[in-house]
Amino acid sequence: LAACVHTLKAKIFEAQGQQHSDLEIQLEFIPHTLISCLSDLSMRFVELLKRLAGQHSKLRSKTVFLINNLDQVLQSLKKQHIEFSELKTLRSLHTNSCSQFVNEQLSSHFQHLH
């Protein structure tokens, strides 16, 4: 996903005769259809991650898989200064997965306090 956007940025800058490494592009300059495709791609990516996480037999492993992969994607997008509306969904899923993991760990060790 990040590589796709980076390539898109590079092509736009090349068309404008500018160096893409020196400039940031705002998504408002990218046609709406491309943003829509990017949004669709990100949602399909989340679906794929969830299916892949489902391959793990333990809930803890599923949660850790989601956390690690979402973190990698979010860090990559942040590093390349990529923002789009569905990024909030990815961040929310990451935050919720982290909370779920913490709650699972706490409940397994401190269940008697509940």
PDB file of all heavy atoms in Angstrom, residues 98-113:
ATOM      1  N   CYS A  98      -4.477  -3.686  20.312  1.00  0.00           N
ATOM      2  CA  CYS A  98      -3.568  -3.511  21.459  1.00  0.00           C
ATOM      3  C   CYS A  98      -4.339  -3.562  22.776  1.00  0.00           C
ATOM      4  O   CYS A  98      -3.902  -4.224  23.730  1.00  0.00           O
ATOM      5  CB  CYS A  98      -2.812  -2.182  21.351  1.00  0.00           C
ATOM      6  SG  CYS A  98      -1.564  -2.142  20.055  1.00  0.00           S
ATOM      7  N   SER A  99      -5.479  -2.899  22.830  1.00  0.00           N
ATOM      8  CA  SER A  99      -6.312  -2.923  24.044  1.00  0.00           C
ATOM      9  C   SER A  99      -6.795  -4.330  24.347  1.00  0.00           C
ATOM     10  O   SER A  99      -6.795  -4.758  25.501  1.00  0.00           O
ATOM     11  CB  SER A  99      -7.514  -1.996  23.878  1.00  0.00           C
ATOM     12  OG  SER A  99      -7.105  -0.673  23.767  1.00  0.00           O
ATOM     13  N   GLN A 100      -7.214  -5.042  23.305  1.00  0.00           N
ATOM     14  CA  GLN A 100      -7.664  -6.422  23.485  1.00  0.00           C
ATOM     15  C   GLN A 100      -6.534  -7.281  24.040  1.00  0.00           C
ATOM     16  O   GLN A 100      -6.749  -8.075  24.963  1.00  0.00           O
ATOM     17  CB  GLN A 100      -8.144  -6.996  22.150  1.00  0.00           C
ATOM     18  CG  GLN A 100      -8.619  -8.421  22.236  1.00  0.00           C
ATOM     19  CD  GLN A 100      -9.035  -8.966  20.867  1.00  0.00           C
ATOM     20  OE1 GLN A 100      -9.093  -8.252  19.888  1.00  0.00           O
ATOM     21  NE2 GLN A 100      -9.325 -10.256  20.849  1.00  0.00           N
ATOM     22  N   PHE A 101      -5.339  -7.119  23.513  1.00  0.00           N
ATOM     23  CA  PHE A 101      -4.192  -7.889  23.981  1.00  0.00           C
ATOM     24  C   PHE A 101      -3.904  -7.597  25.457  1.00  0.00           C
ATOM     25  O   PHE A 101      -3.713  -8.513  26.256  1.00  0.00           O
ATOM     26  CB  PHE A 101      -2.955  -7.573  23.134  1.00  0.00           C
ATOM     27  CG  PHE A 101      -1.731  -8.308  23.584  1.00  0.00           C
ATOM     28  CD1 PHE A 101      -1.550  -9.642  23.269  1.00  0.00           C
ATOM     29  CD2 PHE A 101      -0.753  -7.665  24.330  1.00  0.00           C
ATOM     30  CE1 PHE A 101      -0.419 -10.332  23.694  1.00  0.00           C
ATOM     31  CE2 PHE A 101       0.377  -8.337  24.753  1.00  0.00           C
ATOM     32  CZ  PHE A 101       0.546  -9.676  24.432  1.00  0.00           C
ATOM     33  N   VAL A 102      -3.892  -6.320  25.809  1.00  0.00           N
ATOM     34  CA  VAL A 102      -3.628  -5.937  27.204  1.00  0.00           C
ATOM     35  C   VAL A 102      -4.706  -6.509  28.115  1.00  0.00           C
ATOM     36  O   VAL A 102      -4.397  -7.070  29.178  1.00  0.00           O
ATOM     37  CB  VAL A 102      -3.540  -4.397  27.339  1.00  0.00           C
ATOM     38  CG1 VAL A 102      -3.537  -3.975  28.800  1.00  0.00           C
ATOM     39  CG2 VAL A 102      -2.304  -3.866  26.622  1.00  0.00           C
ATOM     40  N   ASN A 103      -5.957  -6.400  27.713  1.00  0.00           N
ATOM     41  CA  ASN A 103      -7.051  -6.933  28.534  1.00  0.00           C
ATOM     42  C   ASN A 103      -6.943  -8.443  28.706  1.00  0.00           C
ATOM     43  O   ASN A 103      -7.189  -8.967  29.797  1.00  0.00           O
ATOM     44  CB  ASN A 103      -8.405  -6.563  27.934  1.00  0.00           C
ATOM     45  CG  ASN A 103      -8.727  -5.101  28.114  1.00  0.00           C
ATOM     46  OD1 ASN A 103      -8.251  -4.453  29.038  1.00  0.00           O
ATOM     47  ND2 ASN A 103      -9.523  -4.565  27.203  1.00  0.00           N
ATOM     48  N   GLU A 104      -6.571  -9.150  27.629  1.00  0.00           N
ATOM     49  CA  GLU A 104      -6.396 -10.601  27.722  1.00  0.00           C
ATOM     50  C   GLU A 104      -5.279 -10.951  28.705  1.00  0.00           C
ATOM     51  O   GLU A 104      -5.420 -11.870  29.519  1.00  0.00           O
ATOM     52  CB  GLU A 104      -6.046 -11.180  26.349  1.00  0.00           C
ATOM     53  CG  GLU A 104      -7.171 -11.177  25.366  1.00  0.00           C
ATOM     54  CD  GLU A 104      -6.706 -11.508  23.955  1.00  0.00           C
ATOM     55  OE1 GLU A 104      -5.539 -11.890  23.754  1.00  0.00           O
ATOM     56  OE2 GLU A 104      -7.523 -11.368  23.037  1.00  0.00           O
ATOM     57  N   GLN A 105      -4.182 -10.223  28.619  1.00  0.00           N
ATOM     58  CA  GLN A 105      -3.046 -10.494  29.503  1.00  0.00           C
ATOM     59  C   GLN A 105      -3.399 -10.196  30.956  1.00  0.00           C
ATOM     60  O   GLN A 105      -3.069 -10.990  31.845  1.00  0.00           O
ATOM     61  CB  GLN A 105      -1.828  -9.665  29.079  1.00  0.00           C
ATOM     62  CG  GLN A 105      -1.265 -10.046  27.727  1.00  0.00           C
ATOM     63  CD  GLN A 105      -0.899 -11.516  27.667  1.00  0.00           C
ATOM     64  OE1 GLN A 105      -0.105 -12.001  28.456  1.00  0.00           O
ATOM     65  NE2 GLN A 105      -1.490 -12.240  26.730  1.00  0.00           N
ATOM     66  N   LEU A 106      -4.068  -9.090  31.182  1.00  0.00           N
ATOM     67  CA  LEU A 106      -4.444  -8.736  32.551  1.00  0.00           C
ATOM     68  C   LEU A 106      -5.465  -9.713  33.124  1.00  0.00           C
ATOM     69  O   LEU A 106      -5.355 -10.117  34.288  1.00  0.00           O
ATOM     70  CB  LEU A 106      -4.995  -7.310  32.603  1.00  0.00           C
ATOM     71  CG  LEU A 106      -3.976  -6.198  32.369  1.00  0.00           C
ATOM     72  CD1 LEU A 106      -4.674  -4.847  32.332  1.00  0.00           C
ATOM     73  CD2 LEU A 106      -2.887  -6.214  33.435  1.00  0.00           C
ATOM     74  N   SER A 107      -6.442 -10.100  32.329  1.00  0.00           N
ATOM     75  CA  SER A 107      -7.468 -11.001  32.845  1.00  0.00           C
ATOM     76  C   SER A 107      -6.908 -12.387  33.149  1.00  0.00           C
ATOM     77  O   SER A 107      -7.365 -13.051  34.085  1.00  0.00           O
ATOM     78  CB  SER A 107      -8.643 -11.106  31.873  1.00  0.00           C
ATOM     79  OG  SER A 107      -8.247 -11.741  30.690  1.00  0.00           O
ATOM     80  N   SER A 108      -5.895 -12.812  32.381  1.00  0.00           N
ATOM     81  CA  SER A 108      -5.329 -14.128  32.651  1.00  0.00           C
ATOM     82  C   SER A 108      -4.492 -14.144  33.931  1.00  0.00           C
ATOM     83  O   SER A 108      -4.396 -15.161  34.604  1.00  0.00           O
ATOM     84  CB  SER A 108      -4.497 -14.616  31.469  1.00  0.00           C
ATOM     85  OG  SER A 108      -3.333 -13.826  31.318  1.00  0.00           O
ATOM     86  N   HIS A 109      -3.915 -13.018  34.286  1.00  0.00           N
ATOM     87  CA  HIS A 109      -3.072 -12.956  35.475  1.00  0.00           C
ATOM     88  C   HIS A 109      -3.778 -12.403  36.707  1.00  0.00           C
ATOM     89  O   HIS A 109      -3.392 -12.690  37.829  1.00  0.00           O
ATOM     90  CB  HIS A 109      -1.814 -12.130  35.194  1.00  0.00           C
ATOM     91  CG  HIS A 109      -0.912 -12.740  34.171  1.00  0.00           C
ATOM     92  ND1 HIS A 109      -0.166 -13.871  34.425  1.00  0.00           N
ATOM     93  CD2 HIS A 109      -0.671 -12.394  32.895  1.00  0.00           C
ATOM     94  CE1 HIS A 109       0.525 -14.185  33.337  1.00  0.00           C
ATOM     95  NE2 HIS A 109       0.227 -13.315  32.386  1.00  0.00           N
ATOM     96  N   PHE A 110      -4.806 -11.571  36.494  1.00  0.00           N
ATOM     97  CA  PHE A 110      -5.461 -10.914  37.612  1.00  0.00           C
ATOM     98  C   PHE A 110      -6.967 -11.149  37.610  1.00  0.00           C
ATOM     99  O   PHE A 110      -7.735 -10.317  38.060  1.00  0.00           O
ATOM    100  CB  PHE A 110      -5.175  -9.401  37.571  1.00  0.00           C
ATOM    101  CG  PHE A 110      -3.711  -9.077  37.654  1.00  0.00           C
ATOM    102  CD1 PHE A 110      -3.008  -8.713  36.524  1.00  0.00           C
ATOM    103  CD2 PHE A 110      -3.058  -9.131  38.877  1.00  0.00           C
ATOM    104  CE1 PHE A 110      -1.663  -8.413  36.602  1.00  0.00           C
ATOM    105  CE2 PHE A 110      -1.716  -8.832  38.964  1.00  0.00           C
ATOM    106  CZ  PHE A 110      -1.004  -8.482  37.836  1.00  0.00           C
ATOM    107  N   GLN A 111      -7.378 -12.297  37.119  1.00  0.00           N
ATOM    108  CA  GLN A 111      -8.796 -12.620  37.020  1.00  0.00           C
ATOM    109  C   GLN A 111      -9.483 -12.616  38.381  1.00  0.00           C
ATOM    110  O   GLN A 111     -10.615 -12.215  38.517  1.00  0.00           O
ATOM    111  CB  GLN A 111      -8.968 -13.975  36.347  1.00  0.00           C
ATOM    112  CG  GLN A 111     -10.380 -14.282  35.950  1.00  0.00           C
ATOM    113  CD  GLN A 111     -10.425 -15.574  35.162  1.00  0.00           C
ATOM    114  OE1 GLN A 111      -9.609 -16.449  35.324  1.00  0.00           O
ATOM    115  NE2 GLN A 111     -11.420 -15.675  34.292  1.00  0.00           N
ATOM    116  N   HIS A 112      -8.752 -12.992  39.391  1.00  0.00           N
ATOM    117  CA  HIS A 112      -9.331 -13.064  40.748  1.00  0.00           C
ATOM    118  C   HIS A 112      -9.681 -11.678  41.286  1.00  0.00           C
ATOM    119  O   HIS A 112     -10.456 -11.558  42.215  1.00  0.00           O
ATOM    120  CB  HIS A 112      -8.381 -13.780  41.676  1.00  0.00           C
ATOM    121  CG  HIS A 112      -7.071 -13.070  41.882  1.00  0.00           C
ATOM    122  ND1 HIS A 112      -6.056 -13.130  40.938  1.00  0.00           N
ATOM    123  CD2 HIS A 112      -6.624 -12.279  42.887  1.00  0.00           C
ATOM    124  CE1 HIS A 112      -5.034 -12.404  41.365  1.00  0.00           C
ATOM    125  NE2 HIS A 112      -5.352 -11.885  42.542  1.00  0.00           N
ATOM    126  N   LEU A 113      -9.145 -10.617  40.730  1.00  0.00           N
ATOM    127  CA  LEU A 113      -9.439  -9.257  41.189  1.00  0.00           C
ATOM    128  C   LEU A 113     -10.705  -8.699  40.570  1.00  0.00           C
ATOM    129  O   LEU A 113     -11.232  -7.682  41.006  1.00  0.00           O
ATOM    130  CB  LEU A 113      -8.271  -8.327  40.872  1.00  0.00           C
ATOM    131  CG  LEU A 113      -6.960  -8.636  41.578  1.00  0.00           C
ATOM    132  CD1 LEU A 113      -5.881  -7.679  41.086  1.00  0.00           C
ATOM    133  CD2 LEU A 113      -7.102  -8.560  43.065  1.00  0.00           C
TER     134      LEU A 113
END
